[in-house]
Each structure stands twice: as C-alpha cells, then as structure tokens.
Amino acid sequence: MGLRKTVTGIFGQESFVTTRLDSAIGWARKYSLFLYPFVTACCGMEYMSISCAHYDLDRFGAALPRFSPRQADVLMVVGTISHKIAPVLHRIYEQMTEPKWVVAFGVCTCTGGFYDNYATVQGIDTIIPVDIYIPGCPPNPHTFLQGLMMLQEKIQKQKQEY
Amino acid sequence: MGKATEIIREKFTEFILDHHENGGDETVIIKPEGLLKVAKFIKTHPELDFNILMDIAGVDYLGREPRFEVVYHFYSMRRKARLRIKLPVSETDPEVDTLTVYWKGADWYEREVWDMFGVRFRGHPNLKRILMYDGFEGHPLRKDYPFNKRQPRIGPIN
Amino acid sequence: MTKENHPVRTSRPKRKTQEMYLNIGPSHPAMHGIIRIITELEGETVKKAEIEIGYLHRAFEKDSEQVSWNGVMPYTDRLNYVSPLINNFGYCMAVEKLMGLQVPERGLYIRTIMSEISRLVDHLTCVGASAMELGAFTAFLYLMQIRDELYELIEDVTGARITNSFGRVGGVRADLTADFIPKSREKFKTAHRLIKEVDKLLTNNRIFYDRTRGIGIISAEDAQDWGITGPWLRSTGVAHDLREAEPYMMYDRVQFDIPYGEYGDNYDRYMVRMEEMRQSLRICEQCFDQIGEGSLSADIPPEYMESADLVDTAKSMKTAGLIDKEAALCPNLRGQEKHQIAAVSAASKASTLPPKAQCYSNIEGLMNHFMLVMDNWGVRPPMGEAYAAIEAPNGELGFYVVSDGRGKPYRVRCHPPCFPIMNALADVLQDGMVADIIATFGSVNMIGGELDR
C-alpha cells in the first residue's frame, strides 16, 4: 500500500513564518505563565474571584497556580506584607528560578497603603524587585486583568534569556 | 446595681475598688490580688455561672497611676449575661495572675496583652510574643510607642 | 552470590525510630491566610502541634487610635475581609452604645440584610475553600459563582465589592438602590439552586464524608472552656446564636432556625454552615417583605437642580421657591438624598453627616459637615467604655471601645471570633492524622485579618 502525505494549512510546504527568536520565546512565555500566589490578606478574596469561572484567568494562559516557587514564573504578592512575613517573601523570591517576574497586587504591596504603622512593610519593592504594580484596595478584577496584560506585554518586549 | 455585681460585692468587699453599669455593661473594678479568687467564684457560683472567658484586653492610660488596665469580659452561656472585670495594674511592676488555670482560652489572650502592653502574667505556661516577632523591642500598643516606629527584620527602615 | 554466603536474617534488626518535625506554612497553598503550624509527627500521626500566628498583624488597634471615630470604618473592613459589612456594623454598634444613639428602623433593616448577605458570602468562601482542599473543585467553582453574584449585589449598594465601609456611626452610608430588592430576589434564586447543587455534590459524597466525619472533634465543654462561639460551638450541640440570645438590629422580627451539630466534627461544621446559608437567605427574604418601599418613594418627588446653578440663582437673589429645590448629586452619592439619609441614619447633628444636597446648597449643612469632619471634632462619644457583640460568621465578634471624650478613639479592641478557635486548634489536631490538618484547618475559616488584626 502506498501513502502520499498531504500538507495543508499555513504551515504547509510552501508557507513559513519568520520571526526573531526573542519574540517567539516571548510569545510563548507570556501565554504560559505559572503563578505563585503569595496570598496573605484581603486581596486574596479578589484573587479567588479572578481565578474562578466568573473572570476566568485561564483566558490569559495564567490560571495554573504552582505552589512550589521552583516551578513558578510569576510571584503574585497578594495582600499586606508585615515585617514578620517579609523574610519569608524574600526567601520565596530567591527560590524561584529565572526568568521570574513579580506582581504587586493591591496597594498594600505597592506602598503599604493606609497601613503606615509599625507592623507593615511600606511597599514590597523595598525587599524584592517588582515588575507590575496593581493599585486598588483590593483591585477590581478588571484592574487586575489590565495589569496582567501589561505584564504580558512587558514579557513579550523584554530581552529573553534562555 | 446588677445582680453579678451585688453577689461579688457581698463576697469580696475587700477586693472591690469600684463598680458601674454604664451603657448596660456590668463592670466591676477589682484589686489585682483578688483576681484568681473572684474568677474562680464567678465561674463556679451557680447563680453567676460565667463559663466563658470572652476576651482579655489591655488599655494604657498613660499619665495615670496605675497606668495599665487589664479588662476581662466574661459571658454566661446559660444565663446569656455578661460581666466586665477591670484590673488596674501599675507601671512599675505590671504583673497579674494568669487565668489559664480556670480557662484554657486565656492562653493566647494573655500572650497578646503581654506582647502589646508588656503586662506579665504570673504562672502563664508559655508567655512569649504572639503577634510580633522575636527581636521586636518594646510593646507597640503602649501610648508612648510611636505608631510608625518600624523595626524591620530585613529591608530598610522607612 | 551462592546460597551459602547469603546472609540469613533470623530476626529483624531493631529499627531506630524518631519523631519527625514537619513545618506547614507560613506560605502554603492550603493555609489560606498566612499561618504556621509546626507538627511533631510519629509516622502519620500528629503527636504535637504548635501554631504560630501574627504574620498578618497590621496594627488595627494602633491605627484606630490615629483616626477619627468614623475613620476607623475602613480598618474594620479589613478585619474579616470576607464579611466586612458585619465588622462595620459591629464597630458601629459599640460606638452607638457609647453615645446612646438610636438607628432608625430602615437603617436597621438595611444592616440586617447586608449582614446576612455578608454571612452568606463568608460561608460560601469557607465551604468552597475547604471542599477544594479536599479535592472537590467543582463545588468551589459553583460557590464562587454565587459569591461573585452577591458581590455585584453588594457593589450596587455600597460601591465596593469587598471593602465596603458602608456602616456609619448612627446608621449606614446610603439607602438601598431602587432595584435592589427585585434584583436580590432574582440572584437568591440562583443561590438557592447552586447551594442545592453543592449539597448534592458534597453532603452524601462518600469521600467527603469519610474525610470529614469524626475528624477534628471538640466537645461542648472544651469548646466553651476555650471561649469558642459560632459554628464551631454550634457543631458541638450548643445551639447558641447571639442573633437569638441578644437580638440586635432586626433579628427579633424575623424567623430563623439555628442549626446545631451532634459530634463537633468537621462534617457537623460543614452541615451547620450549609444550613446557615439557607437561613440567611430566609432572613433576607423576610426583611425584603417587611422593609417596604420606605424612602425610595418620597411623598413629593424633589425637584433637582445642578448645585452650581443653585448657588448662582441664590447669588442673583432669585431665592423664591429655592428652598424646595435639591442639589442634584453625582451618581456615586446615590442613595444619599435628603429624605433617604433621614430614613437610614440617626437624626443627630453630633454624629450624622448632613445630606450632601444640603452640604452643597446651604450654609448650615456646610457648617455641620465641616464640624463633623474636622480633626478632633466630629463624632465625640462621652467619656466611657462599651462592649458590643455581634454574631459574625465565625462566632462572636466583639468591639470594646474606650473614649476619652475627644474626636479619636482612645482604644478600640476587637475580639476576633477565630482567635479562640485557633488557640484550641493545636489541641484538636493532636493525635489526628497529618492529612486531616488541612480538613480541620479549613473548617476553622481562619481569616488572617481578624486573627492577627
């Protein structure tokens, strides 16, 4: 029996796509984000809503939470960071493998918010580098989705290391 | 005068400093040395039966002597009644007896009062900081502790 | 290897065993909120557990001393962030007790409705999250769907999904929106349906039953000794509910049942929570019937005018009939018209902000507003102290407030309902299996915000 292969579609015999390797990797990376939710406080409630069916984080390829920092790409710091938990956050950041990004979710993580007191870290950027700041107390799901898209754009545009 | 106040007053005249009933909350202010006796009494007395220790709070009246006050809230599940007992505690030797012997639940409340106000509890099994971390200096809810004096474990002081 | 030189084992060598220490948290997927449990294991049995809290301590009590009496409201939101409205009202009740304020009936009805929706949200989150941790992800998605619908309902009235700051000393911030009640009835139908679905999925589910029945047992005496209230106490068979024991708001005008368990285990707590959700819906529906149209239909519909026009007209001395006109409010002040504020807040110039319309259009309103928001003026309860308790989803939520007669609280102490439960948890976990830590911890419904404050 003979078998003749037919090739159709855009990746057919005659068709090809050219791109820079950087941009191809960026495209792959931005749509396959593994999040590490470092959930501490109120913002976690919004984060729950976002990751469930109503707002559906899956549409952005970012729904799968990884609870091991070694497998995660994006550290989502969700909620107030107190001085007691700060070393833990720092350690988790250190444990993550490159490439990694950090999202400050909610105003407490951005600046400390209205908790200007003895217990609270005044913005996590005093401890670890932050890529995207999402303000709000807590941020509306739509604000978060916008933030996520901004992060994806950033990932796409950056110089990829591999 | 409320019922509980009356019964306690009859039994422990020597410990009672004051009592009031502002806003409907029965309040008895007693000397610190009488705490254990009064606590056992109100827990076991059949007409009082305050079987739940609802809350222990500290208050810092800076500039007043005695400076601190430890406030106990009791609740009687059977009678649906409440009682507040207040203990003035001096600044020089802030120490009161622990209630963990009568209520297991007193454990963490007392640790919190120690953590926040620096009031020690005599006989407490495990009196150490609960909300703040080791290495934190001072007791943050005292009125003379600045509200934004930070003592970070890592990172800058800002 | 030949058969001869193969070592023949006559007896098993004596194995040396030792306890293993396992650290769970502070950042652990099933530790919603951050908490650390240090366990001493013998095989899979927990010999000893130690619980460390305080990772979310953000100085609620210290912050409250820096702001005005009404300014504490946003901080109370973030105590139990799953049911912030109940925290708002609990704090308000303590201050009102101190001041001797009486909230009008409609205000109380609104508080009751919003409290029950909040309780519903809290139980939904707790049941959903703890079911998810046992592997029941579908139930979680269903419950979160209702929760989001309820959030939208709350958002309509309060303007925020989670941190509402809706309570005010002496009442609530605004009246219900005109379409709130029909909309709620519609959403409650979905809620009923989905709760029923989840009930079908979990209640008779063999896996769920086996993972929860007989796990995390606490006796009624022990629970009271630890100071536990709420679903945890009710699961042990003590049908105690502050809504019935010390009726506040409008709970003495509605009918509801208090579910209680038998064994005080995780399954009973789940059942208690499920039933309380249905009771909450029932209370809300009764309130909808009783509350009436109220201020939504003013006798004479007010005539609105842009506030700038109002001022210009007055300046040009055309004051005839101007007193009957009301300044038009921007949409985010909806529900705060003159007749509405009067219906939902205490009629006290010492505590209630004047209606925005008056504040924009006449000098008395402006001055009243100014006095109330100025530093160290505003709401000033008389010297003294008060303790008010409210039935929060986790148990008794108490606020002990001390006033020195000035514009800032001297001391605000919050009695968090999950604090005694966490205190007892080490004992409850002891002698259980390590896998049951998650199931038991899930049933606590620990909320970091109120535990650590």
Side-chain angles (χ1 to χ4, degrees), chain A residues 89-145:
Chain A
L89 175 67
H90 186 256
R91 186 156 171 200
I92 283 173
Y93 176 75
E94 300 273 286
Q95 284 176 344
M96 286 171 67
T97 47
E98 293 280 355
K100 57 188 173 187
W101 299 273
V102 178
V103 174
F105 186 108
V107 76
C108 286
T109 52
C110 298
T111 65
F114 74 167
Y115 290 107
D116 176 14
N117 55 38
Y118 62 87
T120 315
V121 174
Q122 302 298 296
I124 57 164
D125 50 7
T126 58
I127 308 171
I128 53 175
V130 175
D131 289 283
I132 295 284
Y133 298 86
I134 303 175
C137 190
N140 193 286
H142 302 113
T143 322
F144 169 73
L145 294 181

Side-chain angles (χ1 to χ4, degrees), chain C residues 40-88:
Chain C
E40 191 185 312
L41 302 179
E42 194 185 272
E44 278 197 73
T45 316
V46 179
K47 294 314 281 177
K48 201 170 160 238
E50 197 189 327
I51 292 166
E52 191 173 346
I53 64 168
Y55 291 103
L56 190 58
H57 179 62
R58 30 186 193 185
F60 162 73
E61 289 168 11
K62 191 80 174 178
D63 273 339
S64 307
E65 292 165 14
Q66 319 299 326
V67 291
S68 69
W69 285 90
N70 262 327
V72 179
M73 215 61 71
Y75 290 103
T76 61
D77 277 342
R78 288 151 183 86
L79 286 175
N80 183 341
Y81 35 75
V82 198
S83 51
L85 288 157
I86 295 183
N87 293 256
N88 285 176

